[in-house]
Amino acid sequence: MTLDSSPFAIPRLDDAPPSADPTRFRVDRDGEARLVGGCCRDCGCVTWGVRSLCPRCWSTRSMQEIALSRRGKLYAMTTVQRTPAGYRGPYSVGYVDLPEGVRVFGRIHWPVDARWTPGADVELIVERIAVDDGTEPLTVPAFRPVTEDGDA
Amino acid sequence: MRDVYVAGIGTTVFGAHEDVSLEALGARAVIDALRDAGLDRQAIETAYVGHMSQGEVTGQRVLKELAIPEIPVTNVENACASGSSAFREAWIAVGAGMADVALVLGIEKLAGKGLLALKSRSFEDRVGHIMPGSYALAGERHMAEFGSTVEDLAWIAAKNRTNGVANPNAMYRKACSVEEVLASRRIAGPLTVLQCCGTASGAAAVVLVAGKRADSEARRTVRVRACALSSRMQWGEPEDLSIFLPTHRAARTAYEYAGIDPDDVDVVELHDAFSVGELLHYEGLMLCARGHGAELVRSGATAISGTVPVNPSGGLLARGHPVGATGVVQIAELVKQLRGTAEHHQVLGAKVAVAQSQGGTGAGAGAAAVTILSR
């Protein structure tokens, strides 16, 4: 996904608000949104976000940063109606399972009034969230259904 | 493990209690439990106090106001399973012979009214997740996999809130219909506000004794058959959200330890913080087969008039949820059922009772406890 192609794209790099967690999600200098993962050099364990300790083999500082897949399968989603203070809703959140065996969490952009389907193919986009409490907006990962030709 | 008996119970009314101090809440429950057990404060040899967010040395701060002797006091936190976890520690202490008499206190004073929110603020929270959202996601998955419906969930909430009308200690005592539940304010996914528990303050206490101190019929009536605890510690691998596995593991351990079959269970008090919780806990507790929770709902078996009434006291939905107190008040309610002294919705001839609670964050960390009591 590049800056120009998505309705949720950040118009200019300079405008990109901070990620809700840059160890897990970033919009890079070249405009690509990516989910950040860690892969352990010693045992191959993959986590969402780089960790200083591999949870599987306990090696320290063995995790290398990798870009996780941009596509996955929708595991579950739900629409939040009673949003937390400062958050404008409703919006949907949910879990997506990536081919690396990692489950990620983000906003889900499913067509309104259509029932979600478990296992649906979804792809990563970026969403800017404004929180009405005077803090800076955040960018968070979001997913939308993939269609045959790649356009949602 | 030696046999352990419940000799006494005590509970406060659950409510806002804005003008009641933490110490006063705890005192009420402890005094009632000791009087019910017919025991003097000098008899207590150890105390376990379950709470989530009342601060350091909460147990000692509360018990010193009753001039309880300076016995070992352990404070226990496991989110919403704090009270149950404290009870389990006391059961182990008495069963192992470390004490003949143990006091369990569950207590919480929560400010304000509204939906439950935990302290930790995770990435998921910043994306816009809410505590009910975790249950909403589990509900969505269960509905997608097994065909349960929003009506099934609403039935559970209507049942429990209506049961609670007859409970003088409950905070939210208003009957409601399935339609009213469905029409109430939407929270997340299938959950409407009447399907979500409200905050409350309150305390409940229980006195456990070893066999040699269970020297009256009253003290020997209720025996603790098993207390099992399991955890949720998910570091990242995808887990099945259509079942609460920690509850299921704790249930299997408890039934096996007690030598009891789920079919033998006469009455249950379980963790209905959200309606989805009760639906999934039916399966976790093996009151029905995996995936068949909705059928159990539709059969009416868990209604007051059914074969295995669940939450006759009204559950968390009607009582409110003073976090640390919940696990202990469940025990107190079941003790009344087994003694035949429930003020409301007495399950006739109840012999085997199960309590279940669970607590945790939406980000993979939590606990579930299952306790079996019998007469």
Side-chain angles (χ1 to χ4, degrees), chain A residues 112-127:
Chain A
V112 174
D113 292 338
R115 189 98 193 97
W116 68 278
T117 46
D121 291 314
V122 293
E123 65 176 0
L124 176 72
I125 55 176
V126 67
E127 182 172 340

Side-chain angles (χ1 to χ4, degrees), chain B:
Chain B
M1 286 281 283
R2 310 185 295 176
D3 283 340
V4 178
Y5 298 83
V6 181
I9 57 172
T11 174
T12 68
V13 171
F14 287 0
H17 290 304
E18 279 131 355
D19 301 326
V20 182
S21 70
L22 185 76
E23 289 80 1
L25 276 179
R28 181 79 273 136
V30 170
I31 290 170
D32 285 352
L34 285 175
R35 288 199 176 134
D36 186 44
L39 286 171
D40 183 73
R41 83 194 94 189
Q42 301 300 330
I44 310 172
E45 297 170 22
T46 187
Y48 291 86
V49 180
H51 71 92
M52 184 177 69
S53 56
Q54 302 308 306
E56 299 84 0
V57 290
T58 288
Q60 291 88 332
R61 283 190 286 121
V62 170
L63 296 177
K64 72 175 173 65
E65 293 303 306
L66 291 168
I68 300 287
E70 290 177 317
I71 53 172
V73 176
T74 304
N75 296 289
V76 180
E77 184 275 318
N78 251 341
C80 307
S82 296
S84 311
S85 300
F87 181 86
R88 179 170 176 272
E89 292 301 315
W91 171 68
I92 293 172
V94 176
M98 294 301 290
D100 288 338
V101 181
L103 172 68
V104 182
L105 172 64
I107 186 167
E108 206 80 45
K109 204 164 140 65
L110 289 175
K113 276 188 107 155
L115 299 184
L116 199 59
L118 298 181
K119 238 194 230 180
S120 342
R121 192 157 164 73
S122 63
F123 169 75
E124 287 79 359
D125 294 330
R126 304 186 77 207
V127 170
H129 204 14
I130 55 174
M131 154 71 112
S134 298
Y135 280 87
L137 284 164
E140 299 268 7
R141 191 70 204 186
H142 196 276
M143 293 193 295
E145 278 190 52
F146 302 119
S148 42
T149 65
V150 295
E151 287 80 15
D152 294 322
L153 295 172
W155 183 90
I156 287 170
K159 164 179 76 76
N160 293 353
R161 286 188 181 270
T162 304
N163 285 353
V165 171
N167 181 351
N169 295 327
M171 182 170 177
Y172 302 95
R173 297 174 65 189
K174 192 161 181 292
C176 57
S177 64
V178 169
E179 291 70 33
E180 283 167 318
V181 172
L182 288 171
S184 65
R185 181 179 174 185
R186 302 185 66 188
I187 302 297
L191 293 174
T192 56
V193 71
L194 288 178
Q195 299 180 58
C196 306
C197 68
T199 54
S201 298
V206 168
V207 178
L208 294 182
V209 300
K212 64 167 123 138
R213 296 304 298 269
D215 46 8
S216 67
E217 196 191 315
R219 289 193 197 153
R220 284 193 92 80
T221 300
V222 179
R223 188 156 65 95
V224 182
R225 300 290 297 275
C227 292
L229 182 68
S230 186
S231 298
R232 182 159 174 253
M233 294 186 286
Q234 292 291 315
W235 60 268
E237 277 180 331
E239 54 173 331
D240 189 338
L241 291 183
S242 69
I243 180 164
F244 291 133
L245 278 175
T247 285
H248 185 56
R249 280 194 299 265
R252 285 208 332 257
T253 300
Y255 288 131
E256 206 176 293
Y257 186 93
I260 277 173
D261 196 272
D263 291 339
D264 297 330
V265 177
D266 297 313
V267 59
V268 177
E269 289 281 337
L270 58 70
H271 201 78
D272 61 327
F274 303 91
S275 57
V276 170
E278 177 159 326
L279 181 69
L280 267 57
H281 293 317
Y282 287 165
E283 298 177 15
L285 291 173
M286 296 182 282
L287 302 179
C288 64
R290 175 77 200 278
H292 290 248
E295 285 158 48
L296 192 68
V297 164
R298 296 168 200 170
S299 75
T302 61
I304 292 295
S305 52
T307 50
V308 56
V310 173
N311 288 330
S313 71
L316 280 70
L317 287 174
R319 287 194 304 260
H321 184 31
V323 175
T326 282
V328 184
V329 77
Q330 287 176 330
I331 302 293
E333 290 292 340
L334 292 175
V335 166
K336 290 186 217 171
Q337 289 285 347
L338 294 172
R339 286 174 174 175
T341 61
E343 307 102 334
H344 47 270
H345 302 314
Q346 173 70 54
V347 176
L348 294 176
K351 280 202 164 65
V352 177
V354 169
Q356 176 269 343
S357 69
Q358 92 170 0
T361 71
V370 173
T371 301
I372 305 181
L373 307 171
S374 72
R375 161 166 69 84

